[in-house]
Amino acid sequence: MQLDVVTAFFLLGASAQLLKAPIKMPAGLYQSLTLFLLIAIGLKGGIALAEYGNSTLLWQSLCIIAFGALLPLFAFPVLQKLGGLSRTDAASIAAHYGSVSIATFAVAMAILDAREISYEPYFPLFVALLEIPAIAVGLLLARNQTEQASTGQKTAAMKKVLHEIFLNQGVLLLTGALLVGWWAGDQSQKLMPFFGSLFHGVLALFLLEMGRLAMSRLSLLRQYGAFIASFGVVMPLFGALMGAMLAQLLNFSAGGTILLATLGASASYIAVPAAMSVALPKANASLSITSSLTVTFPFNVLVGIPLYSALTLNFLT
Amino acid sequence: MNTSSLYFELAAITLTLVLGITLLSVNLPGWGLITVAALLAALSFGLRCTPALATVASTDAASIRNRPTRKDRKG
């Protein structure tokens, strides 16, 4: 399967970093690209929701939430028992792998659009839903570590955690844009020349920076060992398999199956780290970000998505 | 690095390699997984060798430091 043009920009950014060539994007621009992608994906999903929303969507949403809560439960024992990680670190990394990566989803969506493979257009709703349950499960798994705090401290910490879970930039913008698109319906088409036509170009720029960021942490893999790299490859394959199976149960189209497999395979590196830094300050944030950003994100973009697409198109349709 | 993590790494390498070869045999994209298997193997082997060399080096340094001096031998 041919390499997609947006993926090529990820490779360009990664190669530049490996060659120590100075491609550096201003921090403000990177932030702006993130905001653009979140709003564009949310709006697109909202418009589709206004058009296709029905009662089966509720049942599908509940299954998706359960899926997001289930993934960390598989990841946690592997990290703790086989990897020998502490309970806090294992719970934190498990939460990252239960949640999703917007960038990985955007790449999968761009590839499906480019190959004209149809998918359920309200999928951004599932992305927003999948962001949250894994964080809650991660905190439950790590609960033994937080029991020592007093009741007052616990309440204050819980408020901060809930704020981070429900009002982090990713969830807020994605859900907000989804609601705006759903409420405005056809009116949102006025915004689409900006958020629709520029989507692939912005994603290419974003991936250029992501390639650089991912490779800039490569040396940390030496510090954390090969186990975390192996986990960063095996867990996406397992998550993708679970996602594809669930998509088949929910009667999704081929494109929908590829997207749910991609969501199951992806790991968060923006929303969950922010929540975990508040909820589990003792967890090693660098370890989980290295695993999700340096191993799992490149794996999904370069190997995973073409693989899930090929397997779905050849065996499940 | 404990034994169970080594088994996990070996299982990950085997899984990606076998999956990659199987995909290639049915004309599907498998080279990516084979490359990943090779990278994981190199990382696992490389990281296990590096501390071993460091241990050997430090043992050598310690043995040199603890080697009896002429003064000790005279005593």
Side-chain angles (χ1 to χ4, degrees), chain A residues 153-236:
Chain A
Q153 282 174 323
K154 266 193 213 171
T155 316
M158 191 47 74
K159 270 186 187 171
K160 268 189 178 178
V161 170
L162 287 175
H163 187 272
E164 279 300 327
I165 291 177
F166 292 104
L167 295 174
N168 71 68
Q169 179 182 273
V171 172
L172 186 74
L173 273 178
L174 194 65
T175 315
L178 201 83
L179 289 174
V180 169
W182 175 64
W183 165 76
D186 282 343
Q187 271 192 72
S188 310
Q189 293 298 344
K190 288 179 202 164
L191 304 174
M192 289 327 269
F194 181 67
F195 285 110
S197 308
L198 293 180
F199 183 78
H200 286 75
V202 170
L203 183 62
L205 266 178
F206 181 78
L207 286 177
L208 184 73
E209 175 66 359
M210 288 300 295
R212 192 193 70 77
L213 274 176
M215 291 306 119
S216 66
R217 304 183 71 87
L218 202 61
S219 60
L220 286 172
L221 274 181
R222 289 186 65 180
Q223 192 183 325
Y224 297 133
F227 170 79
I228 212 72
S230 306
F231 178 80
V233 169
V234 171
M235 191 59 203

Side-chain angles (χ1 to χ4, degrees), chain A:
Chain A
M1 198 173 272
Q2 202 190 339
L3 189 73
D4 194 80
V5 64
V6 288
T7 316
F9 276 89
F10 177 82
L11 277 179
L12 178 62
S15 311
Q17 179 63 31
L18 289 175
L19 295 168
K20 296 188 170 32
I23 296 182
K24 205 159 191 179
M25 202 173 277
L29 179 60
Y30 175 67
Q31 282 292 321
S32 310
L33 297 176
T34 312
L35 298 184
F36 177 94
L37 289 175
L38 285 167
I39 295 174
I41 292 171
L43 262 182
K44 204 175 166 187
I47 296 168
L49 205 59
E51 201 175 330
Y52 303 98
N54 55 40
S55 56
T56 50
L57 203 59
L58 184 71
W59 162 244
Q60 289 177 344
S61 301
L62 288 174
C63 290
I64 297 286
I65 291 172
F67 175 55
L70 205 65
L71 279 179
L73 298 176
F74 285 105
F76 180 72
V78 174
L79 290 158
Q80 199 187 19
K81 301 271 189 265
L82 299 180
L85 297 180
S86 70
R87 191 181 181 90
T88 318
D89 282 339
S92 171
I93 300 176
H96 283 70
Y97 278 83
S99 191
V100 291
S101 149
I102 296 284
T104 314
F105 176 74
V107 173
M109 223 166 76
I111 290 175
L112 292 184
D113 287 342
R115 293 190 184 141
E116 295 178 348
I117 301 170
S118 61
Y119 54 88
E120 285 69 15
Y122 44 80
F123 241 83
L125 171 70
F126 301 147
V127 180
L129 291 175
L130 276 172
E131 285 265 15
I132 298 162
I135 303 176
V137 173
L139 295 183
L140 281 174
L141 290 171
R143 68 190 183 281
N144 284 356
Q145 300 296 308
T146 49
E147 273 170 5
Q148 291 153 355
S150 69
T151 318
Q153 282 174 323
K154 266 193 213 171
T155 316
M158 191 47 74
K159 270 186 187 171
K160 268 189 178 178
V161 170
L162 287 175
H163 187 272
E164 279 300 327
I165 291 177
F166 292 104
L167 295 174
N168 71 68
Q169 179 182 273
V171 172
L172 186 74
L173 273 178
L174 194 65
T175 315
L178 201 83
L179 289 174
V180 169
W182 175 64
W183 165 76
D186 282 343
Q187 271 192 72
S188 310
Q189 293 298 344
K190 288 179 202 164
L191 304 174
M192 289 327 269
F194 181 67
F195 285 110
S197 308
L198 293 180
F199 183 78
H200 286 75
V202 170
L203 183 62
L205 266 178
F206 181 78
L207 286 177
L208 184 73
E209 175 66 359
M210 288 300 295
R212 192 193 70 77
L213 274 176
M215 291 306 119
S216 66
R217 304 183 71 87
L218 202 61
S219 60
L220 286 172
L221 274 181
R222 289 186 65 180
Q223 192 183 325
Y224 297 133
F227 170 79
I228 212 72
S230 306
F231 178 80
V233 169
V234 171
M235 191 59 203
L237 290 174
F238 176 74
L241 180 68
M242 298 273 289
M245 279 162 56
L246 179 63
Q248 289 299 299
L249 279 175
L250 296 175
N251 280 327
F252 282 162
S253 61
T257 306
I258 296 167
L259 284 182
L260 197 56
T262 305
L263 287 176
S266 72
S268 172
Y269 53 84
I270 299 174
V272 181
M276 287 296 145
S277 66
V278 176
L280 300 174
K282 284 181 187 167
N284 185 348
S286 179
L287 178 67
S288 42
I289 296 175
T290 302
S291 172
S292 60
L293 184 61
T294 308
V295 183
T296 302
F297 182 72
F299 173 76
N300 276 326
V301 168
L302 299 173
V303 181
I305 298 172
L307 176 71
Y308 315 142
S309 306
L311 288 175
T312 304
L313 295 174
N314 282 281
F315 296 112
L316 295 178
T317 53

Side-chain angles (χ1 to χ4, degrees), chain B residues 68-75:
Chain B
T69 58
R70 196 178 291 171
K71 199 176 170 183
D72 292 334
R73 280 197 291 268
K74 272 183 185 172

